[in-house]
Each structure stands twice: as C-alpha cells, then as structure tokens.
Amino acid sequence: MSRPPKPIIRSDIAYSTPDRIVVRGKDLPNEILGHMNLGDFALLQLTGNTPTREQSAMFNAILITLVEHGMTPSAIAARMTYAGAPESLQAAVAAGLCGLGSVFVGSMEGAARMLSEALPKPAEDADLEQIARDTVAAYRARGATIPGLGHPLHKPVDPRTPRLFQLAAENGMAGNYVRLMKLIGAEAERVSGKSLPINATGAAGAICCEFGFPWTIVRGFGVMARAIGLVGHLMEEAQKPMAVEIWQRIEDEASAHLRGDVRADAVRRSA
Amino acid sequence: MSRPPKPIIRSDIAYSTPDRIVVRGKDLPNEILGHMNLGDFALLQLTGNTPTREQSAMFNAILITLVEHGMTPSAIAARMTYAGAPESLQAAVAAGLCGLGSVFVGSMEGAARMLSEALPKPAEDADLEQIARDTVAAYRARGATIPGLGHPLHKPVDPRTPRLFQLAAENGMAGNYVRLMKLIGAEAERVSGKSLPINATGAAGAICCEFGFPWTIVRGFGVMARAIGLVGHLMEEAQKPMAVEIWQRIEDEASAHLRGDVRADAVRRSA
Amino acid sequence: MSRPPKPIIRSDIAYSTPDRIVVRGKDLPNEILGHMNLGDFALLQLTGNTPTREQSAMFNAILITLVEHGMTPSAIAARMTYAGAPESLQAAVAAGLCGLGSVFVGSMEGAARMLSEALPKPAEDADLEQIARDTVAAYRARGATIPGLGHPLHKPVDPRTPRLFQLAAENGMAGNYVRLMKLIGAEAERVSGKSLPINATGAAGAICCEFGFPWTIVRGFGVMARAIGLVGHLMEEAQKPMAVEIWQRIEDEASAHLRGDVRADAVRRSA
Amino acid sequence: MSRPPKPIIRSDIAYSTPDRIVVRGKDLPNEILGHMNLGDFALLQLTGNTPTREQSAMFNAILITLVEHGMTPSAIAARMTYAGAPESLQAAVAAGLCGLGSVFVGSMEGAARMLSEALPKPAEDADLEQIARDTVAAYRARGATIPGLGHPLHKPVDPRTPRLFQLAAENGMAGNYVRLMKLIGAEAERVSGKSLPINATGAAGAICCEFGFPWTIVRGFGVMARAIGLVGHLMEEAQKPMAVEIWQRIEDEASAHLRGDVRADAVRRSA
C-alpha cells in the first residue's frame, strides 16, 4: 500500500530503435559487425569498454582455453539430454551448463577469489611473498585445498599454464595477481613437499584478476566458453550418436544385481 | 543377454595426454592459444577445419549479431534465477538459454531449414526464381509464416541485414542461399502486397547455409552467442539488481484481484 | 509512446496476506495441509477444483507411473550434473528434466494429442470405430508412428497398461478416449499385422483426455513426476556415486582412437 | 592403463524385465498403483521404505507446503521461458527450478543443516536448551542469520508453522529436532529482542530431520514440489499469458534512459 516510490528498472547494456541497435554505446551493424571478433565483443558486453589489442589477445585466449575439455560430465549430460529432446537443442546446452559448479569450474572461481581477497587492490608495492605465505598458511590451517594448483592428468606441468602466462607477459598483463599466483604455487610446494604446478584454471583465474573482474563473475567465463564447446558436441551427437549406447550399458549394469535376484527367485519358485 | 557386439563410443573432437591437449587435431596451447580468436575456434570446434580469413570474418559477425538483444525474456529469466541462486551462476545462464526455442531463435533455424530444403545442394545453375516462387506458394498454401521476413520493431529495414549481406559479399559468401533468401523476400512482398524486409535471422540463416551447416545445428549458434550476452546481464544484475523489484511489482499486480476479494469479504463479514 | 492501455497482469492461482496463504481459493494451512495428498493438490493447483475420490485415485496413479523408469538418460544427465555442482542440486534436477522431450515423454503427449484431435468433444454417440480407422489410416498415409503403441522391452504386454485401464474402469474414467485408444491399437495391429500393445504412455495419455486436460499440458505431468524420481537418484548418487566412473569410462573409450594415433606417431617419430 | 578394476555401476532403485517394473522391491502395477498416493511414493522412492500412515500424512503435508508460493521469481522465469519455447515445456519447468537456491529454498536446507549438525543423533537425553543457546551464540558470533526464523510478509506468525507442528504432534514426529527448532527460535528472540517466529521452512526443515533425512537432500523436496507448482503456472500461462506484457514493460523501462539520450542527440544534431 504505502510502498516507497518504485525503484527504476534500468539496464545500461543495449537498446533498439526502429533503425538502430546499440550495444554499450556502439552501433551494432556499423561499429561492431566486421570490426570485432567474438571474444572482443564479449569483453565489450561485460565491461562497456572496447578492448585494446592486448586485452583482445588475452581474453580470447582465456575463453578458448575453457571451451573444450573432451568427454566431460557436462558433455555427457548435454548428449543424454539431446537424445531425449533433439527438438530442444537449447535445453541440451542448458543441461550441460548446469553442472559447471564447484567441482569443475570452481577452481578458476576459487583462484580468482583467493587472489582478489588476498590483494584487494593490485598495489605496486605489496609484499607479495608475505601475502603468499599468509595465504597458503590460512588455507592449510583450515584444511582447505588451495585452488588452481595440481591436476590429476596433466603432470608434471599443465601445458596450458606456461602458454597463458607467456601470453600474459606479451600483452602486459603479467602483473601482481599473476606474480602472486606463482608465489602461492611455489610456497604450497615448499610447505607440502609435493609437486603442485599451477593448472589452467589457476592461470586463467589470476589473469581474470589482472583484468579487474570481480571473482563472482569468473565462473561465467567458463560457462559462456563451454556453451560453444557443447554445441560442438551436440553437432557430433546428431551425426554419430553415443547417448543411447551409454544409456543401455549403464542401465544393464546398474540393475543387473536386481534383475539377477528376480531370476534366482523365479528359479527357486519354479523348483 | 544376446546383444550384438557393443558399438564403440567414439568422439573426434578432442583428447588429452599428460603433456598435451589436442582439439580437432591442433595442439591447444601452441597452435590455438594466441593464434585464433573465439569465433574462429568455435568454427574449428564445430567443423574440424581452421577457418579462412573470410570465414573468420563472417562467422564472428553472425555470432556477434546473436549475443545481445536487450532485456529479452531470456535475460529476464536469467536475472530472476540469479536472484534466487546467486551461488549457481551457471544455472542462471542455463535458465536463460532454455527459452531460445521456436519463438525467439526459431526464425533463424526456420530460414536455414527453408533454404536448405528448397536447395539441398548449392547448385550453380538452379532456377532460383522458380524455387523462390514455389517456396512462397507452398508456405502460403499451408498458411505458414515465411521465416526470416519482417520485424515488429525494425521497420522498414532491419539494420543488421544489409550489413550482414555486405559482409557476405565482401567475404565471398553471398552465394545461392543468400540470393534465394532475397528472392523469397521479394516474392513474398509481391504476392502479399506487404513490406516484408529480410530480418537479421533471415540473413544469418541464409549465411549459415552458405557455410554448409545442417539446419538442425543453426539454433545452437544463437544459444552459444546468447550465453555470452547472459553473462553480461548477470554481471550487471549483481551490481545493479532489478529482479526483486520486477518480482514484487508482478506479484502485487497479479494477485490484486484475489487479495481485493478477501478484503471485500472481510468488510462484508465485519458489517 | 502511444501503446494501448497496459493489459493487466493477473494470475488466479494463489495469493498471500500477512496471516493467510490461499491456493485456488482454499486456505493452505487449514483446508489443505493434512486434508489432501500431493497428487490431489497437484490436481487442485492445475484445475482449481478439489478432486473427487475417483479423480484422486486416478491422477495419483498416473503421476506415480511416470516418476521412475530406472537409469534413463534423464537420470544419467542429472547424476553427471550433480558430480560437477553438488551444491546446486536444483540445477541437477533441472538438467535431468531438460531431456523430457519428443523421444521420452513425447509419446504420452502424442497419444493425448491424437485422441483429442480425433475426438474434440467426448461425445457419447461418436462412431469410435470409424474414427479409429480414419486415425490409423491418416498416420499410415503420412508414414508417422502411432503414438502410445508398442514398447521395446515390455512385450507382449506393457504391465502398466492393464492396471491403468483397470483403475480407469473402477473410477468411472474409462470413457470414449480410453475406448478410442483401444480401438486405435486394435486397428493398428489389424492393418500392420504386428503386435502393437498399448503402452503406459498411451494409456496415461488417454486417461488425461478423460480428465479434460488439453494435450499441450500433458508433457508437464511427466515432468513433475520425474522431478520426484530424479531427487531419488541424486540422493543415491550422493551416497553411492557412479557419475565419475561413467565419465572416466566414456572419456577413455571415446578418445582412444585419437590417443592411439598419437602414440603410434610418437613411436614412428622415435624410430 | 593400469587402472584398478572398474568399480561396478549399481543402483538399488528400480529395474524392469519384459513383464515387470519393480521400484524399491515393489511391483509397480500391482503393489503400488492404486495403493499409494504420490507423496507416499516419493517417500518410497527416496528411502526404500513404505511409509507408515503417520509418515504419509506428514510427508504429503511438507511437500504440499512447498508447491506454490504465488508469482515468485521461479514462476516468472518459467513463464518467460515458455514464451520463447512453448514446444519445450520441460525446459520452462527446468528454468523455473534453476533458481531454487540459497535465497529461496536455502532456509529450509539451512534449518535442516543447523539442526542436524547441532544434534547429530536425535538422542533422547540431549540438553536441548543448552544446544539451542550454543547454536544461537555461534550464529551470532559469526554474524550469520539463523535459518528458519522470521518472514518478510507473514507477521507476527507464519500461518503454516503452527499447522505443520500440529501435524507433527498428531503423527508422532514432534521429536527433538522440532523441540530444538522451537528452543532456537525462543532463544533468538530472547537475545535479539526481536520477534522471530519460526517460518514454514524452519518448521519443514525440522520435520525433515525427524524423518532422518540428511540435510543435503532437503533442498530436493522443495525442488520436486515446486515442479508441480510450475506446471500449474505454465498451464495458466498457455491460457492467459502475461510473459510478453512483462517483457515489453521491462524492456521499455530499462532502456528508456538510453533511448532518451539518442533522441536528445538527434535533436541536437538536427539543430
């Protein structure tokens, strides 16, 4: 009844008029199409700023790193969904994205969170070594895994990491967050005595901090990139399907012990 | 029991070994990162082929066209979802994608389907004018809307269309499918007497046929592009939320007539 | 600018005041909780009417039939999603539901559509035998599969069908739609010479028509029921996980041919 | 290569043979259909046990409480999705479920977690008053909101709470978890000096603990229940749509400031 005056609902991203479509202040047909690539436009959509050449190179590389990881649970979920609803391809992509949570893209988000909380402003003169020691000590004290380190398959080195850091260096984005990530990795190896190379999500998480992104959006980069990868999987699934075969194998194996009981029962009853 | 030998489950997209990650036969860190942009990589992921410069320009432009359309139902659904589960950003993107169906990206799929069914092979010497007349007649005979024509807001011209066709011409992709789409548009205007300009989804659908994509995957390009747009909306929603205000307004208005009855009843009862 | 007066946004389902929550005109705490079961309440939510004893028995049976079908693609998708995002259980259920489309619950929707289009009003004196012949002939003429008939596993009889029809008879719901479904099944067997028993989705689809539901909502009954089943699968997955094992097996098998090439290459290069 | 022997993939929920469908050891057609209601079957699916009469009454009441809450963000997201993809009704339900996270069903999960962590075994002789004091103190010490208390609209009492607790008492399920929830509510009011009545999610969370459910699955009850509610909303949306009107209003308002600038610019330029 006596609600305060309505807040205005307002978005600064885009608008249309009969003869114009404007995104982030740029005319889509004339200033964007043919002038930008998809990764550049993603950065414009997110930040409102046209990327520099260096930002373009770096952000495209990070997103590409996240597109495709083989026959992941995400790809399997998308393919199973497509088998049931091929007319709803968008829902198959959505199903595949739903699982990009704490386990699979969480470590990129976790690395970005760790770094941005440890170094809220990318100050030039921070004592990064001390921050690295404190950070590792804090994670160990509460028994938590340090995000962005180690990989079950890629040993002793995640081959994406040196390349991402090389691109960061070439593009002027190897600042304090990248340095801190490396120092944390070294400190974690020192105190644990284990080989803990920085993995791709650790490298990407650090570079996202260099861009100034809040850690809460970093998961979204994995989500947008993987959407591309999943469409690739669904195109293959349409041509060379595997979902029904997977289903039958799992159904057969998962309930074998139950069906076995029945047959045994039937034998007993017929005896 | 006596199932035939198991089909082999097989994907040709990617694989990993401890020291390598290979997508479509290319070494991800060394042959892809830093050498391709995101739209190029999408095309590689989908087709297995490295795009030419012309394909790169064209495919990036098509995808960018589909990223952002303002405060669409898709963006609203994603924002409402984020309000309830901000810790599950991937689920908010998924929710936004779920509605990219027959109404909103359907016309691009429909245009690609119409064109590829009318011209199964992009034959040089097809009588495109006759095909256009037949196609329009067939749609009209069954009372169906011809996909890719007209727009509720963008009149008399969808400003994206001439630009997409210009890029197609510049990049050697203004072949028979683009010609056929234009002829269908002209024929539809002729027989209906109405202004029916080709809209962005008609243009993009025709160009997808020029790429040789099957129409069944074309919806996926809208889905992958919009995933990027939705992450932009969620980043804005996190900073300047509108979802709760939308919810309260709709809740208030939608049930006013029911709550009103109650108050009226209460008054009657107390009288 | 000159838009016509805004339509009113209005829902008749429910409302709340500080001391009341009312659904479909009934006070939730006092008139519903403890007085209805979940299937009854679903019917109230959908139709606005409190079910009779017979409707209650029948609708609960239909929904229960749809809850659980073993290790389906839907259950696998939900479990794969949970493995990646266990903190987003709602997204795992959503992923599982996304695939309930034309292939898996489509036949119930298809049967309801076929029956309601063949018999738009459940007229007492319709010539059901003629309608059955015409319907079967029309499907055969366009080479379409008649929905609701046959089952890959349940032969010669789907054991749910006689039970659902028995419950329909006991509850006064074995009317013209059930009769027509049976006649269509018999006619399809006659003209095809094959055994085509009515399956559970054919029986359930026919009974949904007896309830008077539009065919467009019938898919929703499969969706709401399966949501219950999926939560059961996720509870089991949390306790006895299978998703990671499925993933590893598929990943190993799907890319073996690619990894094999690499090893062979390596051998060749080292020779 | 040298992976250990494959774990067996195994589910204990259900199996099918040509003439049988068995869920949790019960023959679906003959022992379940016509003998159980939907809430009972949900409990059987989840636990493997046939509910007692008391469990049936209580579990049906909890689920019904969670089905419908008016025009929530979840219902709006489902309706917006349906507007774009009416042929993918399952995806609209999925979209609506995706937002049932920490904000909206989180308090039920949170209450169940708080109670089960405070009282890992429902011991007869626990000092519940001391546990309540410790629990409240611990939440206050870390500045956390105590879940299950207070409601923005339902004041001074959430009308569902006394009814749920009454049903718990009538059905022998008002044990130590219900007692502890009440003691925590009283203690929170005492130390804060504010009115903090137990809300419906606090009551339901406590009763879920009485059932012995792990807190990690409690969110799933909200999800399965809300799936039913959402199908009701989509049935209404199909008949009396509101999504397009919502979209147009929000689009108009959200970008007014951007479009305004353009017009102002145009005026300036033409001056």
Side-chain angles (χ1 to χ4, degrees), chain A residues 100-156:
Chain A
L100 299 179
S102 62
V103 178
F104 289 121
V105 297
S107 57
M108 185 166 68
E109 181 179 286
R113 180 178 193 171
M114 172 181 71
L115 296 169
S116 60
E117 289 180 348
L119 191 65
K121 296 190 179 177
E124 287 282 313
D125 58 350
D127 181 349
L128 297 175
E129 297 200 2
Q130 185 61 44
I131 293 173
R133 281 192 296 273
D134 293 348
T135 300
V136 171
Y139 273 76
R140 287 174 65 89
R142 60 175 201 269
T145 302
I146 297 173
L149 301 182
H151 196 282
L153 173 63
H154 296 302
K155 296 173 186 169

Side-chain angles (χ1 to χ4, degrees), chain C residues 49-73:
Chain C
N49 298 317
T50 306
T52 63
R53 199 183 55 74
E54 290 77 15
Q55 290 170 331
S56 166
M58 193 71 247
F59 199 59
N60 274 285
I62 287 176
L63 291 180
I64 288 173
T65 302
L66 301 165
V67 167
E68 173 57 37
H69 288 70
M71 201 57 63
T72 54

